[in-house]
Amino acid sequence: MERTLIIFKPDAMNRMLVGRILTRFEEKGLRLAAMKMQRSPREQVERHYAVHKDRPFYSALVEFMTAGPVILAVLEGPQAIAVVRNLLGATDGLVAAAGTIRGDFGLDVQYNLVHASDAPETASKEIELFFKPEELITWDRAPDRWIVSR
Ligand code: IDP
Ligand code: MG
């Protein structure tokens, strides 16, 4: 089992796509371990995207991610990090494959709807940045025995 952090970005919130996108994750079989809505403090967004601080799009990205409330969630499942990245598709909605979330719902490289962790080390750092340990919930979900056989 792996956990990954996802953020419904302000464009997904304002375009009222959160429910439809969350449904994709649920339909895949991924299980929520945490979820909350917040206005992200600028400093937290800057830490989250620190790896991009020298890129030309960094300040616009921080502006975007603080332009309105977001929904944060932790999803879990086998290889959840790669599974969720595959569901999202390429960063740029213009080139993301049809059938992926970004490919189906977006046309933009910045406004690409959802963030998802890209590796185990970043996932645990990001979960720690946005959630307190007691906000993470381990639970038995009724259909799980029909979703994962191993
Ligand atoms: P990812 O979200 O697919 O991992 P990253 O390369 O890590 O993509 O970039 C982080 C975020 O920065 C993207 O999700 C997107 O919102 C924004 N971004 C990435 N590349 C560009 C760009 O070339 N122009 C404007 N914004 C960008
Ligand atoms: Mg990234």
Side-chain angles (χ1 to χ4, degrees), residues 52 85 115 118:
H52 295 310
R85 294 284 298 191
H115 165 81
D118 62 7

Side-chain angles (χ1 to χ4, degrees), residues 8-24:
F8 292 93
K9 299 184 182 187
D11 57 331
M13 302 289 285
N14 280 281
R15 291 181 56 200
M16 302 178 293
L17 289 171
V18 172
R20 291 177 70 184
I21 296 170
L22 183 60
T23 295
R24 300 261 193 131

Side-chain angles (χ1 to χ4, degrees), residues 69-84:
V70 298
I71 288 176
L72 303 158
V74 176
L75 292 172
E76 65 185 5
Q79 296 184 52
I81 296 164
V83 165
V84 170

Side-chain angles (χ1 to χ4, degrees), residues 18-98:
V18 172
R20 291 177 70 184
I21 296 170
L22 183 60
T23 295
R24 300 261 193 131
F25 297 133
E26 286 193 317
E27 285 173 340
K28 180 68 175 169
L30 295 158
R31 185 172 59 210
L32 280 166
M35 190 154 154
K36 65 182 174 188
M37 180 166 161
Q38 69 172 28
R39 287 186 191 279
S40 303
R42 172 172 296 263
E43 193 255 313
Q44 191 181 39
V45 170
E46 286 171 351
R47 275 176 65 191
H48 173 63
Y49 281 125
V51 63
H52 295 310
K53 68 176 183 303
D54 297 324
R55 307 285 287 278
F57 60 81
Y58 177 73
S59 62
L61 177 59
V62 173
E63 284 306 310
F64 165 46
M65 293 297 289
T66 54
V70 298
I71 288 176
L72 303 158
V74 176
L75 292 172
E76 65 185 5
Q79 296 184 52
I81 296 164
V83 165
V84 170
R85 294 284 298 191
N86 281 334
L87 290 174
L88 283 190
T91 301
D92 187 348
L94 277 183
V95 300

